[in-house]
Amino acid sequence: MACVAVASLLRTIELEFLQYKPRPLVLHNHLISFNKDLIQSFHQNLGFLISQLDEERINMDGVEAVKHLETKLRDLAFRVEDEIEFLVAHLYDEEEEEEEVKIADLVLKEKKPQRDTDAEKTQPCVKLHQVFQSAMEQIEAIKEELLKIKAEAGRKTAHDVLQRSQLLSSHHASHSKEQMVGKKDDFEIIKKLLTELGSKEKKVVSIIGMGGIGKTTLAKQIYEDPSVSIHFDVRAWVVASQLHNKRQMLVGLLNSISKQGNLENSTDHDTALKLYQCLKRQRYMVVVDDVWSREAWDDVSNCFPDDGNGSRVLLTTRLAEVANYTSSNNDFSHHMQLLDQTDSWNLFCEKVCKSRAAKFEIIGRPIVEKCKGLPLAIIVVAGLFSKLNTLNEWVNIAKALDSSTTTTIAATCSKILSLSYNHLPHHLKACFLYLGVFPEDKEINANELARLWSAEGLVKASENKTFDVVAERRIQELMDRNLILVRKWSCCGRKIKVFRVHDLLHAFCVKEAQKENLLRVIPGNGLDFPQRCFRWVSIQSSNPDVSTLCYSSRSCRSILCFSECEILNLEQFKLLRVFFFIRNRMYNNFVDLVHLRYLPPALRSHNIMELFKAWNLQTLYICSDHRNYLEFPQLQYFRCLIIMRHPPKFVHQNLQSISWLEPKHCTKEFFTHVPNVKKIRINGEIRECNDCIENLVSLQQLERLHIYTSLYGDTSPNMIQINSHIVLLKRLKRLKFEYNHFEWNGINVLCKLPRLEVLKLLSGACVGELWELQEDDKFCHLIVLEIHSTDLKDWKAPGDHFPKLEHLSLFSCHKLKEIPNGFAEISRLKSIQLTDCRPPVIVSAKEIKEEQHDYLNNIVDVVAEPDEDQYETDED
């Protein structure tokens, strides 16, 4: 309950008073020097108290009493943070007033009486002292109440309780795709309706079932089944959701078929017509997932032509009346059933992923029976049990569920979700709750979420881990507990890139966050905004009445807008720290945003001077170069969307990523100012970009490098030799080149990079017709290799030169004769993706797949999209 409030307050204290380079105005007013010991003591006591409360709640005894203390602590944390941040913001107001007085004095040429500046300097620090002193007294009172609760219950000591958290592990995480347990019959039935029935008319097939029963998982498995995908010329997928948006559905379907250009200026009619034309004369399969109303179906149904070629629309819904309205007839509707006891237990065991003795099964089977055959409830409770290592822990959870008097499936599922949520550690609970700010069914970018978490104070770097590593671990933990559904992995398959939250879990997050006065969702026009305080505002409707936001402006820390919205006047949101939006015209004034920490990539601010007060800014994307001195000590991600005239003159220990540097900026002196940067993108002329590689060697933390060059100003764009200093970047994992004109054999030197996992050679990265690897040129750790738009004809490379390669992608390699046959010996090879390549290359890929099968290695997935007309005039 108090997890978000406490995490946010702890981070605010660290940023304002405990960081290595606090605000000059805070230092000038002696806020830290006057209160340093008190601030540190409060910070330590608050952190220790939330940990103790967390452990007491997990132990299940005295829950109501602990909840009461958590509520007290939450309210205290919110109040203290408000007082701290308003006090800091007021310092800037006073500074401006003093400047106005000085100007007035000069204009009037009047000498006013000397003010007692020393007294004024002490006033803010004394006020801050009073805030922390009062808060410390309340902390002590809460600690005393907690001790009484523990004494009355005969609890373990805090030390014994804290030891339990160290036993939890998450080693069982799996990267496997979602599997259906006990749903084989459902799969075969739907597959037959889609592909085997003789009717050539367009048919709408419906999957009907309650929330959490596995409709989307079943539809996804069918959608990705090779025998189904090969049956159709075109496939598309879109999610409708409870609050459907016609335009988003149309654009989603179009982008699912093929990536479209800019559709922002097209009307709904034009977009619908374009979708219709894409499907016309094609045998298509379209999935419309999670349909709640007739209106949602009507918005897209006219876009599906009937050419009498066996096209199908697969629809999932909870409502039989929707299925009856949309489906061709009852023969094309399928009701999903709950799992029986055997399949329920098998699903539980699969998700727990641990071998258990008979005594664990005796406890576990009644728990699974309580789930009443609902797959979502089973996998969530399995995620909870997978974190418990002792028999006593299993017994305690079993008692908690046995005490429930719920009888309906929905009530049981709600009980299970609450139990799983309550047993999350407080740091993970806050991160999970934050997922409610996103719209239902939205696919969430993990990197973007990590930056939002950081800005909200929910994730921070530890002594030996950067914040992004910590955030990655949190997302992994959520997956381990079956609380998120992974939609996309990174190209090397090691990191979650995109995920979504099941709508029942999402609804739980929204409800819990609203109950804690954290979240306000604006779903439509004309809704009254209650006179209550909310930290996060999520705008999800088209053209909402944003004037209602003024009611929460005092406490609002974050505004996240996922739809079109009128321009906001931000002056009233004095404490705003996150401003996320998808339309670049959604802002008005950043001048007074003292506490701003996050601005999204969509920002097109032409007056970066407005941000000078935002001392703790962490993520900044700009498209101007009006200010070349950005003294933001907490800046982690910086990107200028135009080439900068001058390099930023900052010293940043925290900077993780900087993009769009020119070679002239890449001096040794500049890189000494950003010693911990992990990702760099450089844009410039060919030879200058190659030369500047030498200056990168001081960046011993660099993991990702992208060099994009142009031919402008280069009079001899012939092949050049790659700068050999690149091999000194010992931590480099991902490397991307574009238009660099490197000699093919020259890049063999990259095999000396000891941690290189991903190598992307995009258009013009290398030139020439021969790439031959010598005996010692072995890329020992390379997992992903991509080659785009090249004149490469002959590629000579034994398989043992890429021993760990898993994914090979070739795009527009029009002259390449074949993939080296030695690739059949790579035991880890999983996929070969070919786009716009010669037919012989496709043949060689299929031969590799066959040989891999003979070697009993992985079954290589070969995906080929040839354009044979392209090669009619090509010479061998």
Side-chain angles (χ1 to χ4, degrees):
M1 292 180 62
C3 55
V4 173
V6 172
S8 180
L9 174 57
L10 288 172
R11 189 60 180 148
T12 294
I13 292 172
E14 291 164 2
L15 291 176
E16 295 297 349
F17 309 120
L18 302 180
Q19 68 162 297
Y20 72 97
K21 195 174 183 181
R23 295 175 189 268
L25 205 55
V26 167
L27 293 174
H28 178 71
N29 285 273
H30 308 293
L31 266 65
I32 299 175
S33 59
F34 191 80
N35 298 293
K36 186 174 183 179
D37 292 341
L38 181 58
I39 292 171
Q40 290 178 336
S41 178
F42 177 81
H43 184 271
Q44 293 171 359
N45 277 272
L46 182 62
F48 180 72
L49 180 56
I50 188 62
S51 297
Q52 284 202 311
L53 282 171
D54 190 52
E55 293 301 330
E56 288 304 309
R57 175 185 39 75
I58 289 178
N59 280 325
M60 303 303 296
D61 299 321
V63 169
E64 291 303 321
V66 174
K67 281 184 178 180
H68 173 68
L69 293 185
E70 282 193 305
T71 301
K72 279 188 173 183
L73 187 60
R74 178 202 65 189
D75 294 342
L76 170 64
F78 279 155
R79 184 170 64 254
V80 172
E81 187 171 39
D82 285 350
E83 292 175 343
I84 290 173
E85 293 191 324
F86 272 117
L87 190 151
V88 172
H90 188 60
L91 295 179
Y92 287 93
D93 294 336
E94 289 185 336
E95 186 181 48
E96 289 182 1
E97 290 175 4
E98 289 180 2
E99 289 296 323
E100 291 174 0
V101 169
K102 291 179 181 179
I103 294 173
D105 287 347
L106 291 174
V107 172
L108 298 174
K109 294 183 179 180
E110 294 180 359
K111 186 173 181 180
K112 295 184 177 293
Q114 183 68 37
R115 294 192 292 177
D116 187 358
T117 55
D118 291 338
E120 290 182 353
K121 285 182 181 180
T122 59
Q123 188 176 4
C125 64
V126 170
K127 185 175 181 180
L128 183 67
H129 182 89
Q130 294 170 347
V131 169
F132 277 114
Q133 187 63 50
S134 174
M136 276 292 290
E137 293 172 0
Q138 295 176 68
I139 287 286
E140 291 300 325
I142 294 174
K143 286 170 65 177
E144 288 182 9
E145 287 188 58
L146 180 59
L147 288 173
K148 289 180 181 178
I149 294 172
K150 292 171 65 176
E152 291 171 1
R155 299 286 183 84
K156 301 177 183 179
T157 65
H159 175 73
D160 294 332
V161 174
L162 288 173
Q163 283 184 330
R164 177 186 176 278
S165 64
Q166 299 172 1
L167 298 175
L168 302 182
S169 63
S170 57
H171 61 274
H172 69 283
S174 170
H175 290 184
S176 62
K177 295 180 180 179
E178 294 174 73
Q179 298 294 322
M180 297 293 292
V181 174
K183 298 296 182 183
K184 185 176 181 180
D185 291 343
D186 297 88
F187 178 86
E188 295 299 332
I189 290 170
I190 300 300
K191 180 180 174 182
K192 184 176 181 179
L193 292 174
L194 291 172
T195 63
E196 297 179 21
L197 292 185
S199 175
K200 294 297 183 181
E201 296 179 356
K202 178 191 73 177
K203 295 292 184 181
V204 180
V205 180
S206 296
I207 302 176
I208 310 165
M210 67 179 298
I213 203 168
K215 301 183 297 297
T216 299
T217 303
L218 174 60
K220 197 75 173 178
Q221 190 178 35
I222 292 170
Y223 185 80
E224 295 175 348
D225 183 74
S227 64
V228 174
S229 62
I230 200 171
H231 182 79
F232 296 98
D233 303 320
V234 175
R235 291 178 303 147
W237 181 293
V238 73
V239 180
S241 297
Q242 191 169 2
L243 296 172
H244 80 280
N245 182 295
K246 178 179 179 179
R247 179 164 188 81
Q248 289 178 1
M249 292 174 67
L250 294 172
V251 172
L253 284 167
L254 272 172
N255 285 328
S256 182
I257 296 171
S258 62
K259 292 298 181 182
Q260 302 294 315
N262 188 359
L263 297 172
E264 288 188 7
N265 298 324
S266 64
T267 63
D268 288 356
H269 178 269
D270 291 339
T271 306
L273 180 60
K274 189 170 185 177
L275 175 60
Y276 181 88
Q277 292 170 340
C278 286
L279 298 176
K280 186 66 177 171
R281 299 185 182 85
Q282 303 279 346
R283 182 161 65 182
Y284 59 82
M285 172 189 173
V286 172
V287 178
V288 186
D289 186 33
D290 197 21
V291 181
W292 283 74
S293 65
R294 296 181 177 188
E295 291 76 17
W297 170 251
D298 290 339
D299 280 345
V300 295
S301 59
N302 290 333
C303 299
F304 307 142
D306 188 356
D307 293 316
N309 58 4
S311 292
R312 297 287 186 264
V313 178
L314 179 60
L315 177 146
T316 73
T317 182
R318 303 182 186 191
L319 307 174
E321 63 181 75
V322 172
N324 294 335
Y325 178 75
T326 60
S327 294
S328 304
N329 54 56
N330 289 335
D331 293 337
F332 285 83
S333 295
H334 177 69
H335 290 259
M336 291 187 69
Q337 303 300 316
L338 298 167
L339 298 177
D340 60 27
Q341 291 187 14
T342 300
D343 289 332
S344 294
W345 178 249
N346 290 339
L347 177 59
F348 176 81
C349 292
E350 177 187 299
K351 294 299 181 180
V352 170
C353 296
K354 291 181 180 179
S355 177
R356 295 297 187 185
K359 54 188 177 182
F360 284 98
E361 184 172 344
I362 292 172
I363 300 170
R365 278 193 177 274
I367 296 299
V368 174
E369 290 176 9
K370 293 280 286 185
C371 296
K372 304 182 187 295
L374 185 65
L376 177 66
I378 295 168
I379 65 172
V380 169
V381 79
L384 170 59
F385 274 82
S386 70
K387 297 297 180 179
L388 308 178
N389 292 312
T390 69
L391 186 63
N392 285 337
E393 290 172 329
W394 279 55
V395 170
N396 288 337
I397 298 298
K399 287 180 179 178
L401 285 176
D402 285 340
S403 65
S404 172
T405 59
T406 58
T407 55
T408 66
I409 295 176
T412 300
C413 188
S414 177
K415 174 71 176 179
I416 290 170
L417 295 182
S418 296
L419 187 64
S420 297
Y421 171 73
N422 287 333
H423 275 73
L424 292 175
H426 66 88
H427 63 270
L428 194 59
K429 184 186 294 185
C431 291
F432 176 61
L433 210 59
Y434 192 75
L435 301 181
V437 304
F438 295 93
E440 178 185 327
D441 289 319
K442 179 175 176 58
E443 293 197 337
I444 301 171
N445 181 286
N447 288 335
E448 189 172 73
L449 175 65
R451 295 170 196 178
L452 288 169
W453 275 347
S454 177
E456 299 284 6
L458 307 183
V459 167
K460 64 177 182 178
S462 61
E463 291 183 1
N464 55 356
K465 293 180 181 179
T466 59
F467 103 92
D468 54 336
V469 172
V470 176
E472 183 181 337
R473 182 61 221 153
R474 299 278 171 85
I475 293 172
Q476 182 71 39
E477 285 184 278
L478 291 175
M479 188 199 75
D480 294 345
R481 296 170 184 268
N482 300 314
L483 296 176
I484 62 174
L485 304 171
V486 179
R487 283 291 171 257
K488 186 176 181 181
W489 293 88
S490 63
C491 61
C492 61
R494 302 296 189 269
K495 181 181 177 183
I496 298 171
K497 192 171 184 178
V498 178
F499 68 88
R500 61 176 288 266
V501 183
H502 191 282
D503 48 6
L504 290 182
L505 289 167
H506 178 269
F508 176 85
C509 288
V510 172
K511 182 179 178 181
E512 194 69 22
Q514 289 175 334
K515 186 171 69 175
E516 294 299 318
N517 290 345
L518 288 168
L519 174 63
R520 172 65 182 178
V521 178
I522 302 181
N525 292 322
L527 294 180
D528 292 332
F529 198 95
Q531 295 273 0
R532 296 178 62 188
C533 297
F534 291 93
R535 308 275 289 193
W536 312 324
V537 175
S538 179
I539 303 173
Q540 300 177 14
S541 64
S542 299
N543 301 315
D545 181 9
V546 295
S547 63
T548 57
L549 289 177
C550 64
Y551 291 124
S552 65
S553 61
R554 178 178 174 84
S555 63
C556 181
R557 296 309 200 280
S558 306
I559 298 176
L560 301 97
C561 186
F562 300 95
S563 63
E564 290 281 0
C565 182
E566 64 185 78
I567 295 177
L568 296 174
N569 182 2
L570 300 178
E571 291 183 1
Q572 60 186 331
F573 299 97
K574 295 291 186 182
L575 305 185
L576 196 68
R577 64 176 58 154
V578 169
F579 188 36
F580 176 93
F581 50 87
I582 59 174
R583 302 298 178 197
N584 58 27
R585 62 185 180 86
M586 278 209 45
Y587 63 93
N588 189 1
N589 191 357
F590 296 117
V591 171
D592 295 320
L593 299 185
V594 172
H595 300 290
L596 194 66
R597 300 178 190 173
Y598 177 95
L599 279 173
L603 176 65
R604 298 292 185 269
S605 176
H606 291 281
N607 188 7
I608 198 64
M609 292 290 288
E610 295 178 346
L611 295 170
F612 75 98
K613 295 180 182 178
W615 185 258
N616 293 320
L617 198 65
Q618 298 175 2
T619 299
L620 175 62
Y621 297 83
I622 60 173
C623 67
S624 60
D625 191 25
H626 292 273
R627 184 178 178 87
N628 59 25
Y629 185 79
L630 304 177
E631 196 176 16
F632 302 134
Q634 293 298 321
L635 196 64
Q636 296 164 356
Y637 291 88
F638 175 71
R639 182 179 182 184
C640 185
L641 300 179
I642 65 168
I643 301 299
M644 294 178 289
R645 293 191 299 269
H646 308 285
K649 298 178 181 178
F650 43 48
V651 178
H652 284 309
Q653 301 293 324
N654 293 304
L655 193 70
Q656 301 289 304
S657 173
I658 183 167
S659 299
W660 295 87
L661 285 172
E662 284 191 88
K664 64 182 180 181
H665 303 152
C666 300
T667 63
K668 292 180 180 179
E669 179 185 4
F670 171 69
F671 288 135
T672 60
H673 298 319
V674 288
N676 297 318
V677 71
K678 289 187 173 182
K679 179 180 177 181
I680 285 182
R681 174 167 176 167
I682 301 172
N683 298 61
E685 297 176 1
I686 289 178
R687 298 188 184 280
E688 291 181 354
C689 282
N690 193 43
D691 291 340
C692 78
I693 290 176
E694 183 174 349
N695 295 331
L696 295 170
V697 298
S698 63
L699 300 176
Q700 292 303 304
Q701 304 300 318
L702 190 65
E703 295 181 357
R704 301 178 64 173
L705 175 62
H706 180 184
I707 299 181
Y708 175 96
T709 67
S710 66
L711 301 180
Y712 298 113
D714 197 315
T715 57
S716 57
N718 297 319
M719 67 176 64
I720 63 174
Q721 193 70 26
I722 190 171
N723 192 318
S724 60
H725 285 86
I726 197 168
V727 302
L728 299 177
L729 298 173
K730 301 300 184 182
R731 288 183 175 266
L732 204 62
K733 293 182 179 180
R734 298 171 64 106
L735 187 55
K736 186 187 297 186
F737 291 120
E738 198 165 359
Y739 296 114
N740 305 82
H741 279 239
F742 292 137
E743 178 186 4
W744 273 110
N745 290 344
I747 68 166
N748 292 346
V749 71
L750 298 177
C751 72
K752 296 181 180 180
L753 290 168
R755 300 190 183 185
L756 187 64
E757 296 179 349
V758 178
L759 177 58
K760 296 186 178 183
L761 305 173
L762 306 186
S763 301
C766 297
V767 293
E769 296 185 341
L770 173 64
W771 184 16
E772 182 175 7
L773 284 87
Q774 302 302 316
E775 182 177 355
D776 295 331
D777 297 332
K778 296 183 179 181
F779 290 79
C780 295
H781 297 281
L782 198 67
I783 298 172
V784 176
L785 175 60
E786 288 188 14
I787 302 176
H788 293 238
S789 304
T790 176
D791 291 332
L792 180 65
K793 180 185 288 188
D794 296 300
W795 185 8
K796 299 179 181 180
D800 63 353
H801 284 48
F802 299 95
K804 294 185 179 181
L805 191 70
E806 296 182 9
H807 306 285
L808 172 65
S809 299
L810 303 176
F811 299 87
S812 300
C813 298
H814 298 156
K815 293 186 178 182
L816 186 64
K817 294 179 179 179
E818 64 178 5
I819 302 171
N821 55 20
F823 277 53
E825 302 171 8
I826 304 176
S827 62
R828 299 192 181 189
L829 192 62
K830 295 179 180 178
S831 70
I832 300 176
Q833 183 177 358
L834 306 173
T835 304
D836 198 17
C837 293
R838 295 168 58 89
V841 175
I842 300 173
V843 171
S844 66
K846 292 180 178 179
E847 290 175 350
I848 289 171
K849 178 177 181 178
E850 292 175 2
E851 288 190 51
Q852 285 275 14
H853 186 269
D854 294 338
Y855 286 133
L856 300 179
N857 290 332
N858 292 316
I859 298 177
V860 179
D861 184 19
V862 176
V863 179
E865 300 178 10
D867 183 3
E868 297 186 10
D869 294 338
Q870 176 72 38
Y871 313 110
E872 291 182 354
T873 59
D874 284 352
E875 298 180 359
D876 291 336

